[in-house]
Amino acid sequence: MSDLTRLTHPRHPRSNAYDARWTVENQMGPHALWLLEWLAPALGLDTLPPGARVLDLGCGRAMTSVFLAREYDVQVTAADLWIKPGDNAGRLAEAGVADRVLPVLAEAHDLPFGEGTFDAVVSIDAYQYFGTDDLYLPTLTRLLKPGGRIGVVVPSVREEIDGTEPPEHLRPFWEPAFWCFHSPAWWRRHWTRSGAVEVEAADWLDDGWRDWLLWSEVCAEESPSEFMAGMARESAEMLRADQGAVLGFTRVVGRRI
């Protein structure tokens, strides 16, 4: 029997107002609204003026774009490479934010926007795929107005892993792509060295692995896509094996210099 009430989260009152079935049906990984709600205060989303322009980079099925438009009254550019703009346009219309969110097809290294276009850049569970490049952040932050902020949340490791092999208990689950998971300290150094931003936060989500596990367990049971349900089952098994020893989430916020 379905029990989506498990997804009512005491730390995320704004996310709780969204239909849990909708979040499960449109998920592409960890709970994007929970992660965005954690990022919001550090990024200062509540301080943005109405109509401020925000780039939602790697927006997936645009749940985060809907959240940004509704909760913070901003104009959002919902950019993704995998999900076509037409697909997202339907979701945005159903959510009543078609006038405030523009879906675009864009690759992170080829963003069709002018310098100083955005007041803020947000990226949830996507930045790790392209942002580890030493040359990337200076290119991206040129799209921000001077003093504008960028904020990301990424799957992470508590501490950097030495050598070329994962921890023994994670070997059955480890994929080469997981090497893009880095620690808060790594991300702070990486952004500081870029010279593009003043780093205002680079921190770890306490017990984030528990949220990730709960979400994965629910999605494994409730996802209408067998592919996504299968991925959720694999994530849940990995997180149960890890018990928070290695895996979790990092929040990074920087202000354009």
Side-chain angles (χ1 to χ4, degrees):
M1 182 176 179
S2 176
D3 182 14
L4 294 177
T5 60
R6 288 179 290 168
L7 296 179
T8 300
H9 199 300
R11 285 204 306 265
H12 303 304
R14 291 188 175 191
S15 299
N16 292 341
Y18 289 75
D19 180 63
R21 178 66 60 190
W22 180 76
T23 64
V24 169
E25 290 176 351
N26 290 296
Q27 62 93 15
M28 295 181 68
H31 198 307
L33 300 191
W34 288 352
L35 297 180
L36 178 53
E37 193 165 354
W38 177 50
L39 174 64
L43 187 57
L45 289 178
D46 276 321
T47 68
L48 291 176
R53 299 192 64 182
V54 176
L55 173 61
D56 187 3
L57 184 57
C59 67
R61 293 192 173 94
M63 286 197 296
T64 47
S65 301
V66 171
F67 191 91
L68 287 164
R70 283 184 175 175
E71 303 299 323
Y72 303 104
D73 195 21
V74 293
Q75 292 287 328
V76 184
T77 299
D80 201 81
L81 179 63
W82 298 341
I83 306 299
K84 300 296 188 290
D87 293 341
N88 276 338
R91 269 182 291 276
L92 296 169
E94 290 173 2
V97 296
D99 60 331
R100 287 175 284 166
V101 183
L102 175 67
V104 299
L105 182 69
E107 203 280 326
H109 295 87
D110 188 23
L111 297 172
F113 312 113
E115 183 166 346
T117 296
F118 298 103
D119 298 281
V121 175
V122 169
S123 186
I124 302 297
D125 186 27
Y127 193 83
Q128 70 274 14
Y129 294 123
F130 43 81
T132 58
D133 181 343
D134 289 337
L135 303 179
Y136 185 72
L137 187 62
T139 301
L140 177 62
T141 52
R142 283 202 294 266
L143 304 182
L144 281 170
K145 295 176 182 178
R149 286 188 177 106
I150 175 173
V152 309
V153 178
V154 290
S156 297
V157 293
R158 285 182 181 271
E159 306 290 342
E160 288 301 295
I161 299 172
D162 294 330
T164 59
E165 296 294 330
E168 186 65 32
H169 69 282
L170 290 177
R171 285 191 181 189
F173 315 101
W174 200 262
E175 300 176 8
F178 291 174
W179 290 112
C180 73
F181 297 173
H182 289 289
S183 66
W186 187 95
W187 281 108
R188 179 179 291 277
R189 183 188 65 178
H190 182 58
W191 279 25
T192 300
R193 291 194 310 185
S194 75
V197 297
E198 176 187 351
V199 179
E200 297 183 332
D203 51 6
W204 180 259
L205 177 57
D206 291 336
D207 279 341
W209 74 274
R210 296 184 187 276
D211 294 346
W212 192 355
L213 174 58
L214 170 62
W215 173 245
S216 297
E217 290 173 339
V218 171
C219 289
E221 298 171 5
E222 302 291 344
S223 177
S225 163
E226 179 51 40
F227 175 75
M228 297 306 298
M231 289 185 64
R233 284 192 292 271
E234 291 174 6
S235 294
E237 188 177 357
M238 177 178 70
L239 293 163
R240 282 192 290 266
D242 185 53
Q243 291 291 304
V246 175
L247 298 171
F249 297 103
T250 292
R251 170 179 65 181
V252 195
V253 175
R255 183 189 294 272
R256 180 183 173 180
I257 295 174

